[in-house]
Amino acid sequence: MFHLSRRTLLKSAAVAGAYGAGVAVLPRLSQALAAPSPAEIEAHVIEAVLDGKTSTRNVMSYGLAGAPSSDPSPPVLRMQRGKPFAARLTNRLDEPTTIHWHGLRIPNAQDGVPFVTQPYVYTGDTFDYAFTPPDAGTYWYHPHCNTLTQMGRGLTGMLVVEDDRDPVFDGEVALNLRDFRLGSDSQFIAQFKPRDAAKTGTFGTVRTANWQPEPVYDVPAGGLVRLRILASDVTRIYNLRLDGADAMIIAIDGHPVPVRVALDMAVVSPGQRLDLALRVPDSEGAMVSLEDIRPSTPKVVAQFRAVGASLKRNLGDLGPLSENAGVEADLANATPIPLLLSATAENAAKDSICGTLGYSFWAINKVPYPGDTADPTAPIAELKLGQSYILNVENVTPHAHPIHLHGMNFKAISSSKQAVQQQVSDTYLVLPDEKVQLALVADNPGDWVFHCHIIEHQKTGMTGYFRVT
């Protein structure tokens, strides 16, 4: 699920009932996107400066039609919990694509997986998505077609489901963390190396937050700011800490934490989200750094600069987030499902119009499946609607795998390596040689993909799906 340092787990934070007023740092688009007319989303190719030096060609991004912006990165989509949302995807790429709404419990036909839930969207074609988000929190959207290239070149955007019952912060900053693989000329280089795909994955060469190296954001001095952090990278696992201020962890993967804890260091793997309440320093001009300390030398991800007179807020002022649906599994009568994560003998992968890496390195229950071919394997298991299950996940490899489940949530109940929180989630980082039990209620009918979110692992076999009927 989500890993915190021992020190962080020991730092519990008090929760008070006082609410504060404030102004969000980012523009709030919820009213526009909640309107009956669909959000017009275009997937297109652009040029953008990603390394702070020179424009990079053949970048892929999303844009909102009729909403021109000087920011080339995908927009933060905002919608309201319990209110209908509609979007029309127009594909301006020169290859097929889709949109998957990562972490949202929505109808299966809206899930955006070619050959499983929908046809791919050809160049120049459109596809209409419509659903009502049942949970508030921080989520994201990305393609599920030729994912390594499309996501690697930029098609990863943040998605926020708002709830009017949430406490009001003095500001908000959304951070989309990801790498790009660029050469010295600022142009794209090969997205992966086979020898790395068979290990931890191929890392990018330029690290960014919202497509900028080490951006700086102005935030109100002495205020409480909500940091919404997304790890949308195709490979990198982040070890995040703050230097210069205090913060509390308030939500993980979109869902409020059972107990708020002070941030010491948190591990955020591809596909995961972390919500922090940042208490900005009182002194105007004071700087706060968000750092990634993995593997050893700290790297500044983003900075926050205190501006204005101090608001003199306290972390204890912050009221609780609105609750999402839990995972109330009947553990005494739950059906166990074995899930072995392993390497496999190298084979040529099946070709697909949605792209192939040409290799098969990984498997679930010894079956490698790239996840986007017209002749999928059988489901991992067939689940009965409303029944409880325990996913017995065993990682017998020397590498970590952030495992993501579409369309439903689970809750970790035990691990062979660490204490686990009773945290609702859709992504769990399975450590090397870890055995973990994930409780699940099969509450959403359809075929739901289950895969590693290190995309090279996904595209070379560590993919499958559950069928809920």
Side-chain angles (χ1 to χ4, degrees):
M1 180 180 289
F2 192 92
H3 300 279
L4 307 175
S5 71
R6 175 177 173 80
R7 183 179 172 190
T8 294
L9 287 171
L10 293 175
K11 287 184 175 180
S12 61
V15 177
Y19 284 50
V23 178
V25 173
L26 296 181
R28 302 175 75 84
L29 306 177
S30 57
Q31 294 304 313
L33 297 187
S37 58
E40 298 283 351
I41 301 174
E42 292 187 353
H44 51 208
V45 176
I46 62 172
E47 289 191 12
V49 178
L50 304 174
D51 58 4
K53 300 174 184 177
T54 305
S55 288
T56 300
R57 299 183 298 274
N58 298 318
V59 178
M60 296 182 180
S61 187
Y62 294 111
L64 288 176
S69 173
S70 59
D71 184 354
S73 64
V76 179
L77 298 182
R78 293 179 182 266
M79 56 191 73
Q80 290 281 343
R81 183 224 290 265
K83 293 186 179 180
F85 171 80
R88 172 167 292 172
L89 168 65
T90 300
N91 182 12
R92 306 293 186 196
L93 307 176
D94 59 2
E95 60 183 80
T97 192
T98 63
I99 293 181
H100 167 58
W101 311 92
H102 182 119
L104 295 188
R105 297 183 300 119
I106 56 179
N108 194 236
Q110 306 300 305
D111 196 48
V113 182
F115 306 112
V116 178
T117 70
Q118 72 161 89
Y120 35 70
V121 184
Y122 282 106
T123 302
D125 285 350
T126 63
F127 190 88
D128 291 330
Y129 296 94
F131 52 83
T132 299
D135 302 312
T138 304
Y139 304 95
W140 62 302
Y141 62 108
H142 62 81
H144 235 278
C145 186
N146 198 15
T147 45
L148 186 60
T149 296
Q150 293 185 13
M151 291 174 62
R153 293 199 174 201
L155 283 179
T156 61
M158 296 191 73
L159 188 161
V160 173
V161 182
E162 299 175 331
D163 190 309
D164 292 339
R165 297 169 296 177
D166 277 348
V168 178
F169 291 79
D170 302 305
E172 178 178 302
V173 179
L175 293 175
N176 183 345
L177 308 185
R178 52 155 312 123
D179 291 4
F180 291 94
R181 281 187 53 77
L182 305 180
S184 58
D185 60 354
S186 302
Q187 305 309 308
F188 284 112
I189 58 177
Q191 188 63 55
F192 81 104
K193 300 176 181 178
R195 65 177 179 273
D196 291 334
K199 297 178 182 177
T200 58
T202 308
F203 288 89
T205 60
V206 175
R207 301 174 61 176
T208 70
N210 297 335
W211 290 24
Q212 301 175 61
E214 301 182 21
V216 179
Y217 297 92
D218 288 341
V219 289
L224 298 181
V225 172
R226 184 169 188 165
L227 300 184
R228 298 182 184 265
I229 300 170
L230 159 67
S232 75
D233 194 68
V234 296
T235 301
R236 185 175 299 279
I237 298 172
Y238 295 84
N239 287 11
L240 297 178
R241 73 178 183 189
L242 274 172
D243 182 36
D246 294 325
M248 288 192 307
I249 297 172
I250 60 174
I252 293 170
D253 290 345
H255 302 278
V257 294
V259 179
R260 291 178 177 175
V261 295
L263 174 69
D264 175 40
M265 187 275 290
V267 179
V268 189
S269 63
Q272 293 189 299
R273 292 84 67 203
L274 173 69
D275 282 47
L276 301 177
L278 166 68
R279 204 290 184 175
V280 182
D282 293 297
S283 301
E284 183 165 20
M287 299 295 290
V288 179
S289 295
L290 178 67
E291 298 177 333
D292 178 18
I293 61 173
R294 185 184 181 97
S296 57
T297 303
K299 167 71 175 178
V300 173
V301 173
Q303 291 185 299
F304 311 96
R305 178 171 49 218
V307 297
S310 176
L311 300 180
K312 299 181 179 179
R313 296 289 302 280
N314 295 308
L315 284 169
D317 294 342
L318 191 65
L321 299 176
S322 57
E323 289 294 329
N324 290 334
V327 176
E328 305 303 328
D330 180 3
L331 299 181
N333 296 296
T335 301
I337 298 176
L339 293 165
L340 183 72
L341 310 182
S342 68
T344 186
E346 180 181 330
N347 294 299
K350 297 176 183 177
D351 200 5
S352 164
I353 197 169
C354 272
T356 177
L357 301 194
Y359 300 91
S360 173
F361 294 133
W362 303 98
I364 297 177
N365 288 346
K366 299 184 179 180
V367 177
Y369 167 44
D372 54 11
T373 63
D375 53 345
T377 63
I380 297 172
E382 297 193 21
L383 314 184
K384 295 300 181 183
L385 189 64
Q387 297 298 304
S388 296
Y389 297 87
I390 296 177
L391 308 182
N392 290 314
V393 185
E394 181 178 4
N395 180 10
V396 296
T397 81
H399 306 293
H401 299 287
I403 290 292
H404 170 54
L405 174 63
H406 289 213
M408 295 180 287
N409 293 322
F410 50 67
K411 183 166 59 177
I413 56 176
S414 73
S415 166
S416 63
K417 286 216 161 185
Q418 60 192 316
V420 294
Q421 295 177 302
Q422 296 294 300
Q423 173 70 40
V424 176
S425 180
D426 54 73
T427 307
Y428 186 99
L429 180 61
V430 189
L431 300 177
D433 300 317
E434 182 179 15
K435 296 179 182 179
V436 63
Q437 290 188 314
L438 307 176
L440 167 72
V441 177
D443 57 4
N444 202 353
D447 290 347
W448 298 108
V449 175
F450 180 80
H451 66 87
C452 179
H453 229 286
I454 292 175
I455 303 302
E456 289 157 276
H457 294 177
Q458 172 201 336
K459 293 288 292 182
T460 57
M462 194 169 281
T463 307
Y465 67 100
F466 296 106
R467 175 164 291 159
V468 179
T469 57

